[in-house]
Amino acid sequence: MRLSKVTLSGFKSFADHTEFHFDEGIIGIVGPNGCGKSNVVDAIKWVLGERSAKSLRGTAMADVIFAGSAVRKPAGSAAVTLCFDNPRLASGDARMHDPFATPGETRPAELDSPEIEIEWIDEAGAESGVVRRGAVRDRLLPVDTDSVDVTRRLWADGRSEYLINNRKVRLRDIKDLFFDTGIGTDGYGIIEQGKVAALLEANPAERRAVLEEAA
Amino acid sequence: MRLSKVTLSGFKSFADHTEFHFDEGIIGIVGPNGCGKSNVVDAIKWVLGERSAKSLRGTAMADVIFAGSAVRKPAGSAAVTLCFDNPRLASGDARMHDPFATPGETRPAELDSPEIEIEWIDEAGAESGVVRRGAVRDRLLPVDTDSVDVTRRLWADGRSEYLINNRKVRLRDIKDLFFDTGIGTDGYGIIEQGKVAALLEANPAERRAVLEEAA
Amino acid sequence: CRTRFEMVFQAVREHFGGTDGMFRRLFGGGSADIYLLPTESGEIDWLESGIEIRAKPPGKEPRVINQLSGGEKSMTTVALLMAIFRSRPAPFCILDEVDAALDEANVERFCGSLSWFLDRSHFIVITHHKRTMQACHKLYGVTMPQRGVSRRVSVRFDQVGRDGKIQAGVEA
Amino acid sequence: CRTRFEMVFQAVREHFGGTDGMFRRLFGGGSADIYLLPTESGEIDWLESGIEIRAKPPGKEPRVINQLSGGEKSMTTVALLMAIFRSRPAPFCILDEVDAALDEANVERFCGSLSWFLDRSHFIVITHHKRTMQACHKLYGVTMPQRGVSRRVSVRFDQVGRDGKIQAGVEA
Ligand SMILES: Nc1ncnc2c1ncn2[C@@H]1O[C@H](COP(=O)(O)OP(=O)(O)OP(=O)(O)O)[C@@H](O)[C@H]1O
Ligand SMILES: Nc1ncnc2c1ncn2[C@@H]1O[C@H](COP(=O)(O)OP(=O)(O)OP(=O)(O)O)[C@@H](O)[C@H]1O
Ligand SMILES: [Mg+2]
Ligand SMILES: [Mg+2]
């Protein structure tokens, strides 16, 4: 379930459509101070469901929309899409890929993540379908496609939208999609700039929360 | 009033007597991670009157005493001395060197720092003399010598001592000595490791406090 | 049956402070550990207890973790993060200038540690260190040819100048 | 008579955000300012009001200072510190790895800014950047030949190896 691509458009300093392909083991992002490297990290956190404007270094969520520059007008909206590989697993059962499972043993059922429901919303805003995690056992993400696109969009007038494979969902559904995968805005997988020592300097309860995310 | 020398002995990782001479405009301190560079900054803050163990990265003040290593026993005490140049000023009046003074005008008396008293303590702990700032007008520090040594010592049993030119004083006297010189543990003159952006990220009242230190 | 938390905790503890754990690998020795703190009741509670970290670089005896230097703290955090990854890999890991406080020797060890995990995850690393750039399999440059507007270019290591500026690269 | 605070505030404001102020010098343009915030009463009070900082690198329009990047924040802080120094020099200034987040071009500008102040003060700079080491008039190395025990050596720039290790130096 690798993160294979990030697409930004109108997000912070990325006024134009920009793509980053993550098709190698170690990808470096380099460049002068203030050019937009950490804005890419903010974009990824934002799509994963970040709700605090402060943790995206702004004061209001609208601060993520390209605010204009000396030569460009402000953008009307910001949109970021994350694309994840979601191949069919050879062994057939996603649970078998769990690092907790002892080889040969099947995982005790109570360790299984709870039934998750992803609800698609149609144009009129009504519920138009539900996917249960149990229904898609042979892929890590409970969506039956080889790759999954997750998109978040925000307009200057405050409207916002979440999409999975171009179908509208709610924020809760995005959180459910990534439940138990180790990805999340508070996860241990993202170390922001200047926060390297934060794990050490946190209090014991905060450290526990990080490990619980991994559990 | 330059800081011309720092001497450490038994302070943190400086088990042995160590001197740093600051006789050039820009002095660099370099070396591998964990070797003791920031400990020198802690030593300077400590002599200037720092009272919080936490701001010296410890939990108790005794943490500044060399705690031993794989091959060395712990030290019995920690001592640091700062040596300041304190030449007689040509123009005779220290106040004339004040950046607030408009050339040609003498500074209005109410801008003068309040009368400061430095009380020396004799061996028996009794007061043995007082120096008033007014008495030493032609030097920046109110002590009538070309250089001023300020020392702080701490023993493992908790006893501590402050000295100016080898004569015992109280912590208050060290603070008075540096009153209005821009030096102080909260001053704008020391930027600790990892705290570069602290001035920007502080709240408006804390920023005001830094500027008041300069006033 | 042990809870998931208990299983993860034990796994991370082993991968962090064990004899072949990440701490000893990154520091070339020393010792480290994570342990649960007793709650108000004085007992250790798997459901409530907070976590304390102990880390001793080789030959040193810091009483608390706060006495470590800036670089030692960065390396200890990287070791702990890698230990969590070994216990429970996440699909990706983003490191934004975690090498900022490191000296050259530690940058070298940090780069080496990334390659131990390539079978489980992939890394996105933001850096100004030339050595870290060399450890990357692919580099993206982000510049602002028009002030205020970010543009992505693909670069090879040799196109990142000595002064950090990105020379001609292929526009996205 | 204006209080000392008022005099310092006005001096720092000019030295920070003026046309020839430190911010424009370090960023090669842009604009910056410090201003007093009204208190609860809605009035600006020279004795109580807190201070707000505004900084706009050339060609950018950040709404709040928190939107600046890591390197831009470091440079803005250095500009403000230098402005305070210009208004009210202190006998010394200690900078512990303030260049950690800077790219090579900004390290160069940072080093240049130190030399503007040598008539008023002297600097003690802790760094891992080779370029900053070159800007120093004298270098001290701190190493631990015996683990856990710091030792000071005098070094010349050419004795600090490419890998940051200090080669043979004269023991003090
Ligand atoms: N909504 C927005 N519209 C336009 N520009 C923005 C917006 N939000 C932030 N910025 C700009 O983005 C820049 C910061 O980018 P970022 O933090 O990604 O830099 P960086 O490449 O990580 O630099 P460094 O190497 O210093 O860490 C700031 O200059 C800020 O003004
Ligand atoms: N009382 C003490 N006795 C012995 N060693 C101590 C004492 N207090 C701190 N130390 C040691 O000093 C070391 C930290 O030193 P310091 O923070 O000065 O390193 P540094 O040279 O600044 O490194 P970096 O480049 O990583 O910032 C730690 O390893 C710590 O264990
Ligand atoms: Mg950044
Ligand atoms: Mg340090």
Side-chain angles (χ1 to χ4, degrees):
Chain A
M1 196 185 70
R2 291 163 61 99
L3 170 65
S4 61
K5 196 169 84 177
V6 176
T7 310
L8 306 94
S9 171
F11 183 86
K12 290 204 170 189
S13 53
F14 290 90
D16 301 319
H17 179 89
T18 311
E19 292 187 6
F20 289 85
H21 295 264
F22 298 126
D23 42 9
E24 302 266 359
I26 309 176
I27 305 266
I29 299 180
V30 301
N33 288 139
C35 278
K37 299 182 297 294
S38 297
N39 288 344
V40 177
V41 181
D42 288 341
I44 293 171
K45 282 176 62 183
W46 187 60
V47 178
L48 294 178
E50 179 62 68
R51 282 191 273 197
S52 140
K54 194 166 144 49
S55 123
L56 294 171
R57 299 183 290 161
T59 45
M61 211 36 112
D63 285 343
V64 302
I65 302 173
F66 177 67
S69 72
V71 293
R72 297 278 297 252
K73 290 200 316 295
S77 70
V80 177
T81 299
L82 303 183
C83 180
F84 290 93
D85 295 344
N86 191 31
R88 213 181 280 281
L89 299 168
S91 67
D93 186 339
R95 290 181 305 172
M96 294 307 289
H97 282 256
D98 190 62
F100 294 109
T102 328
E105 252 181 64
T106 56
R107 234 168 86 176
E110 72 273 19
L111 277 185
D112 224 359
S113 19
E115 276 307 316
I116 286 174
E117 296 182 359
I118 295 173
E119 295 169 32
W120 314 103
I121 313 171
D122 66 17
E123 279 314 304
E127 197 185 290
S128 69
V130 174
V131 171
R132 290 180 199 290
R133 178 176 278 282
V136 184
R137 278 229 175 278
D138 58 353
R139 295 182 196 267
L140 279 174
L141 289 175
V143 177
D144 208 357
T145 52
D146 284 343
S147 80
V148 178
D149 280 356
V150 182
T151 304
R152 182 171 181 178
R153 213 172 269 149
L154 178 71
W155 280 272
D157 63 6
R159 271 181 310 130
S160 76
E161 210 177 62
Y162 294 92
L163 306 158
I164 295 177
N165 281 351
N166 258 335
R167 295 175 65 185
K168 276 195 216 162
V169 293
R170 290 162 313 190
L171 172 58
R172 213 193 59 196
D173 299 314
I174 292 197
K175 293 237 186 236
D176 281 350
L177 178 73
F178 292 120
F179 185 86
D180 207 17
T181 59
I183 303 180
T185 47
D186 299 331
Y188 49 93
I190 298 177
I191 296 198
E192 296 168 59
Q193 188 170 5
K195 302 259 191 308
V196 183
L199 194 57
L200 296 189
E201 291 165 357
N203 68 39
E206 288 163 357
R207 291 183 194 136
R208 180 191 173 94
V210 172
L211 237 63
E212 279 174 343
E213 176 90 22
Chain B
M1 201 183 80
R2 289 163 66 99
L3 170 66
S4 60
K5 197 169 83 176
V6 176
T7 310
L8 306 92
S9 171
F11 183 88
K12 288 205 173 189
S13 51
F14 289 91
D16 303 321
H17 179 91
T18 310
E19 293 188 5
F20 290 85
H21 296 265
F22 299 126
D23 42 9
E24 302 270 357
I26 309 176
I27 305 264
I29 300 182
V30 301
N33 287 138
C35 278
K37 302 182 296 294
S38 297
N39 289 344
V40 177
V41 180
D42 289 341
I44 293 171
K45 283 176 63 183
W46 187 60
V47 179
L48 294 177
E50 179 62 67
R51 282 192 273 200
S52 142
K54 191 164 147 47
S55 121
L56 295 170
R57 298 181 289 159
T59 45
M61 209 38 111
D63 286 343
V64 302
I65 303 173
F66 177 66
S69 71
V71 293
R72 300 276 296 253
K73 293 201 314 294
S77 71
V80 177
T81 299
L82 303 183
C83 181
F84 291 92
D85 294 344
N86 190 33
R88 210 180 282 282
L89 298 169
S91 69
D93 187 336
R95 288 183 308 174
M96 293 308 288
H97 283 253
D98 194 293
F100 297 110
T102 328
E105 254 181 62
T106 57
R107 232 167 81 173
E110 70 274 21
L111 279 185
D112 224 354
S113 20
E115 278 307 315
I116 286 174
E117 296 180 4
I118 294 176
E119 293 167 31
W120 314 105
I121 314 172
D122 66 16
E123 281 313 303
E127 198 188 285
S128 70
V130 173
V131 173
R132 293 181 198 288
R133 179 176 278 282
V136 185
R137 279 230 172 275
D138 59 352
R139 295 183 197 265
L140 280 174
L141 288 175
V143 177
D144 208 358
T145 53
D146 285 341
S147 77
V148 178
D149 279 357
V150 184
T151 304
R152 183 172 180 179
R153 231 191 279 275
L154 177 71
W155 281 271
D157 63 6
R159 270 182 310 133
S160 78
E161 202 176 76
Y162 296 93
L163 307 159
I164 294 178
N165 280 349
N166 258 334
R167 296 174 64 185
K168 278 194 213 162
V169 294
R170 289 163 318 191
L171 172 59
R172 217 195 56 199
D173 300 312
I174 291 196
K175 294 239 184 229
D176 281 351
L177 178 74
F178 293 121
F179 185 87
D180 206 18
T181 59
I183 304 181
T185 49
D186 301 330
Y188 49 91
I190 298 177
I191 295 198
E192 296 168 61
Q193 188 170 4
K195 301 263 192 302
V196 179
L199 194 58
L200 296 190
E201 291 163 358
N203 67 36
E206 289 163 355
R207 291 182 195 139
R208 180 191 173 94
V210 171
L211 236 65
E212 281 174 342
E213 175 90 23
Chain C
C1 138
R2 290 175 8 169
T3 63
R4 284 175 70 138
F5 178 77
E6 206 173 325
M7 289 165 91
V8 170
F9 181 85
Q10 300 295 10
V12 170
R13 187 176 192 189
E14 180 56 33
H15 287 309
F16 177 58
T19 44
D20 187 27
M22 297 310 296
F23 186 85
R24 285 176 59 82
R25 280 216 214 175
L26 280 174
F27 280 83
S31 70
D33 198 10
I34 57 172
Y35 49 96
L36 291 179
L37 290 176
T39 55
E40 272 108 62
S41 66
E43 302 283 331
I44 293 204
D45 177 349
W46 280 103
L47 292 174
E48 292 294 334
S49 284
I51 294 176
E52 195 52 73
I53 302 170
R54 204 166 46 62
K56 294 191 174 175
K60 299 189 171 173
E61 295 294 334
R63 268 163 34 98
V64 279
I65 205 149
N66 212 15
Q67 283 182 317
L68 295 182
S69 80
E72 289 171 333
K73 277 186 183 163
S74 294
M75 291 296 275
T76 302
T77 302
V78 169
L80 187 53
L81 180 81
M82 298 294 192
I84 298 174
F85 256 87
R86 204 164 260 289
S87 315
R88 180 87 171 113
F92 63 87
C93 179
I94 301 176
L95 304 172
D96 193 346
E97 300 198 25
V98 297
D99 56 2
L102 302 182
D103 61 23
E104 301 282 344
N106 274 331
V107 169
E108 191 72 37
R109 286 198 203 106
F110 161 66
C111 292
S113 73
L114 295 179
S115 53
W116 299 328
F117 285 88
L118 294 178
D119 57 334
R120 293 167 183 256
S121 185
H122 63 142
F123 293 93
I124 299 161
V125 182
I126 297 175
T127 182
H128 291 293
H129 270 281
K130 296 280 187 300
R131 176 63 196 89
T132 306
M133 292 180 199
Q134 277 173 321
C136 297
H137 301 138
K138 180 176 184 172
L139 282 181
Y140 280 120
V142 178
T143 63
M144 282 186 169
Q146 242 185 15
R147 280 206 169 142
V149 181
S150 296
R151 189 159 298 293
R152 196 217 78 192
V153 293
S154 294
V155 275
R156 288 193 316 278
F157 174 69
D158 49 16
Q159 288 171 315
V160 186
R162 271 220 45 70
D163 65 352
K165 286 249 182 314
I166 296 173
Q167 275 122 35
V170 166
E171 285 278 321
Chain D
C1 142
R2 285 163 50 182
T3 65
R4 284 171 70 131
F5 179 77
E6 205 173 326
M7 289 163 89
V8 170
F9 181 85
Q10 299 297 12
V12 170
R13 187 174 193 192
E14 180 54 36
H15 287 308
F16 178 59
T19 43
D20 185 30
M22 298 311 295
F23 186 84
R24 286 177 59 83
R25 280 217 216 176
L26 281 173
F27 279 83
S31 71
D33 197 11
I34 57 172
Y35 49 94
L36 292 178
L37 292 174
T39 55
E40 271 108 65
S41 66
E43 302 284 327
I44 293 200
D45 176 349
W46 280 102
L47 292 173
E48 293 294 335
S49 283
I51 294 175
E52 196 50 73
I53 303 170
R54 202 167 46 63
K56 293 191 175 175
K60 297 190 173 175
E61 294 293 336
R63 265 163 35 92
V64 279
I65 206 152
N66 212 15
Q67 283 181 316
L68 296 182
S69 80
E72 290 171 334
K73 276 184 185 164
S74 295
M75 292 296 276
T76 302
T77 302
V78 168
L80 186 54
L81 180 81
M82 298 295 192
I84 299 175
F85 255 86
R86 203 165 263 287
S87 317
R88 181 90 170 112
F92 62 88
C93 179
I94 302 177
L95 304 172
D96 193 347
E97 300 197 26
V98 298
D99 57 2
L102 302 184
D103 61 22
E104 301 282 343
N106 275 331
V107 168
E108 190 72 36
R109 286 196 205 107
F110 162 64
C111 293
S113 75
L114 296 179
S115 53
W116 298 329
F117 285 88
L118 293 179
D119 57 334
R120 294 167 184 257
S121 187
H122 62 143
F123 292 93
I124 299 161
V125 182
I126 298 175
T127 182
H128 292 295
H129 270 283
K130 296 279 183 305
R131 176 62 194 91
T132 307
M133 293 180 199
Q134 276 172 321
C136 298
H137 302 140
K138 183 174 180 173
L139 281 181
Y140 280 120
V142 179
T143 62
M144 282 187 168
Q146 243 185 12
R147 279 205 169 141
V149 180
S150 295
R151 186 157 302 293
R152 196 217 78 191
V153 294
S154 296
V155 269
R156 287 194 317 281
F157 174 71
D158 48 15
Q159 289 171 314
V160 186
R162 269 215 50 68
D163 63 352
K165 285 245 180 320
I166 296 172
Q167 276 122 36
V170 165
E171 288 270 328

